[in-house]
Amino acid sequence: MTNAFLIGNGESRKGLDLNKLQSKGKVLGCNAIYRDFTPDVLISVDHGIMHEIYHNGYALKNECWFRDWNKLPAMMYEPLVEGQFDKVYQNERGESQEFVMHGSNMTGEATIMREDKTTYKKNVNQSVCKISWIKDDGVFDLNSIMPNGIDIGWASGSMCGFVACKTLNPTHVYLIGQDLVSETDSVNNMYKGSSYYKVPEAKPVPPNQWIQQWLTLFNDYPDVKFFKVNPTEGKASQKLNEWKMCKNLTYIKLSELDEHIK
């Protein structure tokens, strides 16, 4: 039996000791989880977080899977970057001969958070580029394991499941903190209000795409046993009608997890 624990950033996992899971199987985490915990594998599909992970050195020591992590030769830096963006954020180049870049245009009204966590509205119109100069690292491009090399475009939680099933061949997969819904009228995320995340008062993200992505994964890997680890009560503990035909899916409570994997 090979366990894979897929840790989402839903608030139901708050207080859970993730370290104890690493002796029971492989732990895969999403995006900003690295700020508090070092999973065996880190998956990020959001460009801002990807470059944050790279710039602070985490990706140089740990296995990461990033979206659109396309390396370019250093000679392309000047024609592609210099003078092309209002703001450029990058790590130290050093001896690097390759870089990865992601640019974006920010136009419209943005919600800005002050240091004291209060927010205000501001009209913005600027182009921003994130650059990571490549070192000796542990980063893999998600496209390398995609069907026909084409990104399926999944969110970080379900992409975490895809990476696990594709690269680890697990027999038992546990979805923890993959809440899908919020218990309140605001966003459900452990890192809300921090860099690259929605402000705490933002509305919950509709779960429709996440539900469909997980359903596809369950169907694509019928021999894998999936366990949706739910809180004891609340909206996130409800069984989903969309998944009722999945014979390889079982719901268990978070309070039952220790006993289940013992």
Side-chain angles (χ1 to χ4, degrees):
M1 182 175 70
T2 304
N3 294 327
F5 302 98
L6 313 181
I7 313 300
N9 293 327
E11 295 173 44
S12 71
R13 73 166 176 85
K14 186 178 294 184
L16 178 65
D17 182 3
L18 299 176
N19 293 286
K20 67 183 181 182
L21 298 177
Q22 291 185 306
S23 64
K24 304 294 184 179
K26 291 289 186 179
V27 179
L28 295 85
C30 306
N31 294 321
I33 191 175
Y34 87 96
R35 297 173 184 170
D36 308 307
F37 171 75
T38 302
D40 297 299
V41 183
L42 179 65
I43 289 84
S44 182
V45 300
D46 302 303
H47 295 159
I49 292 285
M50 285 161 30
H51 288 281
E52 175 188 295
I53 293 167
Y54 206 93
H55 288 186
N56 68 27
Y58 180 92
L60 306 186
K61 301 177 181 179
N62 301 282
E63 181 178 340
C64 302
W65 288 81
F66 290 164
R67 167 166 286 155
D68 298 329
W69 201 250
N70 302 311
K71 299 175 184 178
L72 300 171
M75 69 179 68
M76 297 300 296
Y77 180 83
E78 184 174 349
L80 289 178
V81 179
E82 290 189 356
Q84 304 300 315
F85 298 91
D86 297 318
K87 290 187 177 182
V88 176
Y89 300 93
Q90 57 189 314
N91 59 340
E92 187 70 30
R93 175 177 176 176
E95 300 296 323
S96 300
Q97 296 303 309
E98 293 180 307
F99 68 97
V100 172
M101 66 174 289
H102 295 99
S104 62
N105 291 314
M106 301 172 61
T107 304
E109 187 178 69
T111 300
I112 309 298
M113 179 172 290
R114 302 183 179 93
E115 291 186 5
D116 63 2
K117 301 301 183 181
T118 60
T119 61
Y120 65 97
K121 302 291 185 180
K122 180 181 179 180
N123 288 320
V124 297
N125 183 11
Q126 63 180 14
S127 56
V128 178
C129 184
K130 302 290 176 65
I131 301 284
S132 285
W133 287 100
I134 301 302
K135 320 294 182 182
D136 183 13
D137 59 44
V139 178
F140 296 89
D141 187 347
L142 284 166
N143 281 342
S144 67
I145 57 171
M146 291 294 139
N148 301 315
I150 300 174
D151 192 344
I152 56 178
W154 287 4
S156 58
S158 45
M159 186 64 82
C160 195
F162 180 87
V163 171
C165 291
K166 193 75 173 179
T167 67
L168 301 177
N169 297 316
T171 57
H172 292 63
V173 171
Y174 295 83
L175 284 63
I176 301 171
Q178 307 281 359
D179 294 348
L180 302 179
V181 298
S182 177
E183 301 296 340
T184 68
D185 292 330
S186 59
V187 64
N188 172 7
N189 195 286
M190 294 282 289
Y191 302 100
K192 59 188 177 185
S194 67
S195 299
Y196 306 112
Y197 283 88
K198 292 179 179 293
V199 295
E201 61 269 26
K203 294 297 183 183
V205 179
N208 306 59
Q209 289 188 344
W210 300 336
I211 292 172
Q212 184 57 50
Q213 289 165 10
W214 282 113
L215 177 60
T216 299
L217 190 71
F218 300 155
N219 290 335
D220 284 350
Y221 291 88
D223 295 329
V224 175
K225 295 181 179 179
F226 293 91
F227 299 88
K228 176 74 163 58
V229 184
N230 283 338
T232 303
E233 58 184 18
K235 297 177 183 178
S237 67
Q238 304 301 309
K239 294 182 178 181
L240 295 175
N241 186 58
E242 294 91 336
W243 295 353
K244 65 180 180 180
M245 300 302 291
C246 297
K247 296 181 179 180
N248 57 337
L249 171 66
T250 301
Y251 294 86
I252 63 173
K253 296 178 181 178
L254 190 58
S255 59
E256 301 171 337
L257 181 59
D258 285 346
E259 186 64 26
H260 201 274
I261 62 177
K262 185 174 64 176

